[in-house]
Short mmCIF file of all heavy atoms in Angstrom, two decimals:
data_model
loop_
_atom_site.label_atom_id
_atom_site.label_comp_id
_atom_site.label_asym_id
_atom_site.label_seq_id
_atom_site.Cartn_x
_atom_site.Cartn_y
_atom_site.Cartn_z
N VAL A 1 94.56 80.80 119.40
CA VAL A 1 95.52 81.86 119.55
C VAL A 1 95.99 82.37 118.17
O VAL A 1 95.97 83.65 118.02
CB VAL A 1 96.79 81.44 120.26
CG1 VAL A 1 97.83 82.57 120.22
CG2 VAL A 1 96.36 81.14 121.74
N CYS A 2 95.98 81.56 117.12
CA CYS A 2 96.44 81.93 115.79
C CYS A 2 95.32 82.95 115.23
O CYS A 2 95.63 83.89 114.56
CB CYS A 2 96.53 80.81 114.77
SG CYS A 2 98.27 80.01 115.02
N VAL A 3 93.97 82.59 115.56
CA VAL A 3 92.95 83.44 115.05
C VAL A 3 93.14 84.92 115.78
O VAL A 3 93.01 86.00 115.07
CB VAL A 3 91.60 83.00 115.52
CG1 VAL A 3 90.44 83.91 115.12
CG2 VAL A 3 91.39 81.62 114.78
N ILE A 4 93.39 84.97 117.05
CA ILE A 4 93.63 86.29 117.69
C ILE A 4 94.79 87.05 117.02
O ILE A 4 94.81 88.14 117.02
CB ILE A 4 93.74 86.18 119.22
CG1 ILE A 4 92.58 85.34 119.72
CG2 ILE A 4 93.86 87.40 119.97
CD1 ILE A 4 91.26 85.95 119.53
N PHE A 5 95.77 86.24 116.61
CA PHE A 5 96.97 86.85 115.88
C PHE A 5 96.51 87.62 114.74
O PHE A 5 97.17 88.58 114.27
CB PHE A 5 98.09 85.86 115.65
CG PHE A 5 99.15 85.73 116.73
CD1 PHE A 5 99.13 84.61 117.55
CD2 PHE A 5 100.04 86.72 116.97
CE1 PHE A 5 100.22 84.46 118.51
CE2 PHE A 5 101.09 86.56 117.97
CZ PHE A 5 101.06 85.53 118.71
N LEU A 6 95.50 87.10 114.04
CA LEU A 6 94.97 87.78 112.89
C LEU A 6 94.36 89.11 113.23
O LEU A 6 94.44 90.18 112.58
CB LEU A 6 94.02 86.94 112.13
CG LEU A 6 94.43 85.59 111.40
CD1 LEU A 6 93.35 84.81 111.00
CD2 LEU A 6 95.43 86.03 110.22
N VAL A 7 93.69 89.12 114.32
CA VAL A 7 93.11 90.28 114.97
C VAL A 7 94.18 91.35 115.27
O VAL A 7 94.07 92.56 115.09
CB VAL A 7 92.17 90.03 116.20
CG1 VAL A 7 91.78 91.31 116.83
CG2 VAL A 7 91.02 89.15 115.74
N SER A 8 95.30 90.91 115.91
CA SER A 8 96.41 91.65 116.35
C SER A 8 96.97 92.33 115.04
O SER A 8 97.44 93.38 115.03
CB SER A 8 97.48 90.76 117.02
OG SER A 8 98.56 91.55 117.34
N ALA A 9 97.18 91.51 113.92
CA ALA A 9 97.69 92.02 112.68
C ALA A 9 96.79 93.17 112.11
O ALA A 9 97.37 94.17 111.63
CB ALA A 9 97.71 90.89 111.65
N ALA A 10 95.51 93.03 112.36
CA ALA A 10 94.53 94.06 111.86
C ALA A 10 94.86 95.33 112.77
O ALA A 10 94.88 96.44 112.22
CB ALA A 10 93.13 93.66 112.08
N GLU A 11 94.99 95.23 114.10
CA GLU A 11 95.28 96.42 114.96
C GLU A 11 96.68 96.90 114.49
O GLU A 11 96.81 98.17 114.58
CB GLU A 11 95.34 95.83 116.34
CG GLU A 11 94.02 95.53 117.03
CD GLU A 11 94.18 95.07 118.54
OE1 GLU A 11 95.17 95.56 119.00
OE2 GLU A 11 93.21 94.55 119.00
N THR A 12 97.60 96.15 114.29
CA THR A 12 98.90 96.61 113.79
C THR A 12 98.87 97.48 112.57
O THR A 12 99.45 98.50 112.48
CB THR A 12 99.98 95.46 113.65
OG1 THR A 12 100.02 94.85 114.97
CG2 THR A 12 101.25 95.88 113.26
N ILE A 13 98.12 96.97 111.52
CA ILE A 13 97.84 97.75 110.32
C ILE A 13 97.25 99.12 110.76
O ILE A 13 97.66 100.10 110.24
CB ILE A 13 96.91 96.98 109.42
CG1 ILE A 13 97.64 95.78 108.88
CG2 ILE A 13 96.49 97.90 108.23
CD1 ILE A 13 96.78 94.74 108.10
N GLY A 14 96.33 99.15 111.66
CA GLY A 14 95.65 100.26 112.06
C GLY A 14 96.57 101.25 112.68
O GLY A 14 96.75 102.50 112.43
N ASP A 15 97.37 100.70 113.76
CA ASP A 15 98.40 101.52 114.46
C ASP A 15 99.47 102.04 113.48
O ASP A 15 99.74 103.29 113.64
CB ASP A 15 99.02 100.67 115.55
CG ASP A 15 98.10 100.48 116.72
OD1 ASP A 15 97.23 101.30 116.89
OD2 ASP A 15 98.35 99.45 117.47
N THR A 16 99.92 101.31 112.66
CA THR A 16 100.97 101.81 111.73
C THR A 16 100.45 102.82 110.72
O THR A 16 101.22 103.87 110.54
CB THR A 16 101.58 100.54 110.86
OG1 THR A 16 101.87 99.53 111.89
CG2 THR A 16 102.82 100.95 110.12
N SER A 17 99.27 102.62 110.23
CA SER A 17 98.70 103.59 109.30
C SER A 17 98.41 104.91 110.12
O SER A 17 98.75 106.00 109.53
CB SER A 17 97.39 103.09 108.74
OG SER A 17 97.56 101.83 108.16
N ALA A 18 97.92 104.84 111.31
CA ALA A 18 97.63 106.01 112.13
C ALA A 18 98.92 106.72 112.50
O ALA A 18 98.99 108.02 112.42
CB ALA A 18 96.84 105.66 113.34
N MET A 19 99.95 105.96 112.81
CA MET A 19 101.24 106.68 113.16
C MET A 19 101.81 107.46 111.98
O MET A 19 102.18 108.53 112.15
CB MET A 19 102.28 105.53 113.57
CG MET A 19 103.29 106.16 114.48
SD MET A 19 104.49 107.05 113.65
CE MET A 19 105.17 106.07 112.32
N VAL A 20 101.72 106.86 110.84
CA VAL A 20 102.26 107.50 109.65
C VAL A 20 101.44 108.65 109.21
O VAL A 20 101.99 109.77 108.82
CB VAL A 20 102.43 106.48 108.35
CG1 VAL A 20 102.77 107.10 107.18
CG2 VAL A 20 103.47 105.43 108.78
N ALA A 21 100.14 108.58 109.28
CA ALA A 21 99.27 109.63 108.92
C ALA A 21 99.45 110.80 109.94
O ALA A 21 99.50 111.92 109.50
CB ALA A 21 97.84 109.06 108.83
N GLY A 22 99.37 110.44 111.24
CA GLY A 22 99.42 111.52 112.24
C GLY A 22 100.71 112.06 112.40
O GLY A 22 100.88 113.34 112.84
N GLY A 23 101.84 111.23 112.26
CA GLY A 23 103.27 111.65 112.73
C GLY A 23 103.99 112.18 111.47
O GLY A 23 104.68 113.08 111.60
N LEU A 24 103.74 111.46 110.29
CA LEU A 24 104.57 111.77 109.13
C LEU A 24 103.79 112.43 108.01
O LEU A 24 104.37 112.75 106.96
CB LEU A 24 105.22 110.51 108.57
CG LEU A 24 106.20 109.85 109.67
CD1 LEU A 24 106.70 108.46 109.04
CD2 LEU A 24 107.42 110.68 110.12
N ASN A 25 102.52 112.58 108.18
CA ASN A 25 101.64 113.23 107.23
C ASN A 25 101.78 112.63 105.83
O ASN A 25 101.85 113.49 104.94
CB ASN A 25 101.89 114.66 107.19
CG ASN A 25 101.70 115.44 108.52
OD1 ASN A 25 100.62 115.27 109.16
ND2 ASN A 25 102.60 116.29 109.02
N ARG A 26 101.64 111.32 105.74
CA ARG A 26 101.67 110.64 104.48
C ARG A 26 100.99 109.27 104.55
O ARG A 26 100.58 108.92 105.65
CB ARG A 26 103.16 110.43 103.90
CG ARG A 26 104.02 109.62 104.71
CD ARG A 26 105.31 109.25 104.22
NE ARG A 26 106.28 108.61 105.03
CZ ARG A 26 106.30 107.30 105.17
NH1 ARG A 26 105.35 106.59 104.67
NH2 ARG A 26 107.26 106.60 106.02
#
């Protein structure tokens, strides 16, 4: 499960980056 948490962290980095880029334009 800890290994999958690493995958989840990668998804979170992607989601957070996409939200800031698409919603806040930075």
Side-chain angles (χ1 to χ4, degrees):
V1 170
C2 282
V3 172
I4 306 300
F5 267 107
L6 290 175
V7 176
S8 178
E11 289 186 19
T12 299
I13 291 171
D15 281 341
T16 308
S17 301
M19 201 293 302
V20 172
L24 301 177
N25 299 313
R26 61 171 174 81

